[in-house]
Amino acid sequence: MEQIKRIGVLTSGGDAPGMNAAVRAVTRTALFNGIECIGIRRGWQGLINCDFVRLSRESVGHLLSRGGTILYTARSEEFMTESGRQKAVSTCRMLGLDGVVAIGGDGTFRGALELSRLGVPVVGVPATIDNDVGCTNYTIGFDSACNTAIECIDKLRDTMQSHERCSVVEVMGRNAGFLALYVGTAVGATAVLVPEHKLDFEKDVIGRIRASRLAGYTHFMIVVAEGAGSAMEVGEKIHEALGIRPTISVIGHIQRGGVPTGRDRETATRMGYYAVQAFAEGRGNCIIATQEGGIVEIPIEEALTMKKHLQMDRYQIMEVMQFGSKHE
Ligand code: F6P
């Protein structure tokens, strides 16, 4: 790649706390390297519509602690079509963009791959509360979303404990259980349902509630990943099996908002920095990923084939925490 002069930055897909910190890092690293930075609004759709804003050191000030994304975000259907992508390429030419930093999840990176095939270099920065991007251990927003869910469930636990009730809580995560398993471990859930693990409902949910009761517990917290079913259905099944009526809570989009945690701000800052460094040093068409604590660049095509598995030992750990001894 030739020395680049101007790049675009966009956020796409579901927003995640820390996206703004990444936009700030991209902008300031670009400016430090003598590269102009243009914010593309509303994700890939903004690239199609030539919807942009100039970014300066000042305009990305006070962003570290702000949730959401100042660039707005969207899931663009039009970008999935050849003609939509051609319009996006025309915008890149019109604005003189030598590359684009795309902040988002797998869907965003599939779009990035298509754009790169049309000759626009792209660097991806993983940001999604689901943590379901295969090439990276960590995605921006995951820690904040976990903490939000944990805070909600801690509050719920107080009242469940007072009233000696059972609660079923649904958390986000799309088709993945990273959020649910992490949160379940952190709140000491009685059972956690994730899409990656086919459970025996009778044994793994009903059996665990029974065993918990026998162990002396009088309130129960069941965490369900949205990809594993709805809290409502799970609550019904518990009612049928045990005759108790659980409370149902769907935490929903609250998990996507709020002040990003230190981990998300720090990771977003490093990832944004390395995304621009890749361009500044003549590379592109890669995803910035964390692996074993360090930051690496992975070619987009390869990154999209990579899979990440749930750490199932957490199930075992939760059981040990719950019972502290073997149970039938
Ligand atoms: O990918 C992030 C996420 O919040 C998922 O956890 C959830 O399934 C989805 O987005 C919800 O998307 P929408 O914004 O379309 O409601």
Side-chain angles (χ1 to χ4, degrees):
M1 272 173 70
E2 287 175 22
Q3 178 57 43
I4 59 167
K5 298 187 183 61
R6 188 177 298 138
I7 57 169
V9 57
L10 58 83
T11 52
S12 169
D15 64 351
M19 276 185 163
N20 277 330
V23 171
R24 169 184 178 269
V26 167
T27 306
R28 291 196 173 168
T29 310
L31 295 174
F32 182 83
N33 283 286
I35 301 167
E36 242 187 284
C37 192
I38 304 290
I40 306 296
R41 292 189 291 208
R42 303 175 178 88
W44 296 125
Q45 193 59 41
L47 212 50
I48 292 171
N49 298 342
C50 200
D51 182 1
F52 70 95
V53 55
R54 279 174 185 278
L55 297 174
S56 63
R57 193 185 66 77
E58 294 78 15
S59 68
V60 295
H62 307 292
L63 279 190
L64 281 173
S65 58
R66 244 173 98 176
T69 161
I70 57 157
L71 294 179
Y72 305 95
T73 183
R75 302 186 201 276
S76 173
E77 301 251 321
E78 197 179 352
F79 194 75
M80 292 179 191
T81 66
E82 186 58 35
S83 68
R85 290 194 290 271
Q86 287 298 346
K87 285 188 206 161
V89 172
S90 301
T91 301
C92 292
R93 294 216 180 100
M94 167 70 80
L95 297 178
L97 301 182
D98 299 311
V100 173
V101 175
I103 304 168
D106 263 345
T108 304
F109 300 151
R110 278 192 291 275
L113 181 63
E114 295 300 332
L115 194 65
S116 70
R117 284 179 174 152
L118 295 173
V120 179
V122 187
V123 175
V125 171
T128 161
I129 65 160
D130 305 334
N131 200 23
D132 61 348
V133 176
C135 68
T136 185
N137 288 339
Y138 189 76
T139 61
I140 298 162
F142 179 68
D143 190 52
S144 305
C146 285
N147 280 298
T148 298
I150 289 165
E151 197 185 331
C152 291
I153 296 174
D154 283 348
K155 288 181 174 156
L156 198 54
R157 185 183 283 287
D158 289 344
T159 172
M160 291 305 105
Q161 189 167 28
S162 311
H163 288 261
E164 301 177 286
R165 294 184 75 173
C166 174
S167 195
V168 182
V169 187
E170 185 180 313
V171 299
M172 277 189 166
R174 199 178 286 279
N175 301 317
F178 295 101
L179 192 58
L181 200 49
Y182 189 101
V183 167
T185 306
V187 300
T190 313
V192 181
L193 286 77
V194 292
E196 294 86 344
H197 176 62
K198 178 116 192 64
L199 353 127
D200 174 343
F201 198 84
E202 181 54 38
K203 174 171 164 284
D204 296 326
V205 180
I206 304 301
R208 288 180 69 100
I209 296 175
R210 263 199 203 108
S212 297
R213 183 69 193 90
L214 288 169
Y217 292 92
T218 57
H219 71 281
F220 317 98
M221 190 63 71
I222 314 297
V223 175
V224 188
E226 62 178 348
S230 82
M232 196 68 93
E233 285 162 14
V234 171
E236 273 311 316
K237 283 161 98 173
I238 292 172
H239 180 232
E240 276 165 31
L242 296 171
I244 56 172
R245 180 65 77 187
T247 64
I248 307 297
S249 305
V250 179
I251 304 180
H253 290 78
I254 291 172
Q255 290 157 105
R256 289 224 303 245
V259 173
T261 60
R263 182 175 186 185
D264 282 327
R265 300 179 200 193
E266 195 268 348
T267 307
T269 301
R270 279 193 301 141
M271 284 184 165
Y273 170 85
Y274 282 112
V276 178
Q277 283 303 122
F279 275 143
E281 290 163 17
R283 299 182 300 279
N285 300 335
C286 59
I287 307 292
I288 304 299
T290 59
Q291 286 184 359
E292 280 149 28
I295 299 245
V296 293
E297 290 170 20
I298 302 174
I300 303 177
E301 199 161 354
E302 183 188 338
L304 287 172
T305 65
M306 293 170 80
K307 299 262 175 292
K308 181 165 74 178
H309 300 290
L310 271 194
Q311 291 158 322
M312 298 310 278
D313 60 333
R314 291 223 163 95
Y315 264 104
Q316 168 69 16
I317 294 169
M318 276 192 303
E319 182 153 331
V320 172
M321 294 305 124
Q322 184 84 6
F323 299 108
S325 62
K326 283 203 177 300
H327 72 283
E328 288 308 306

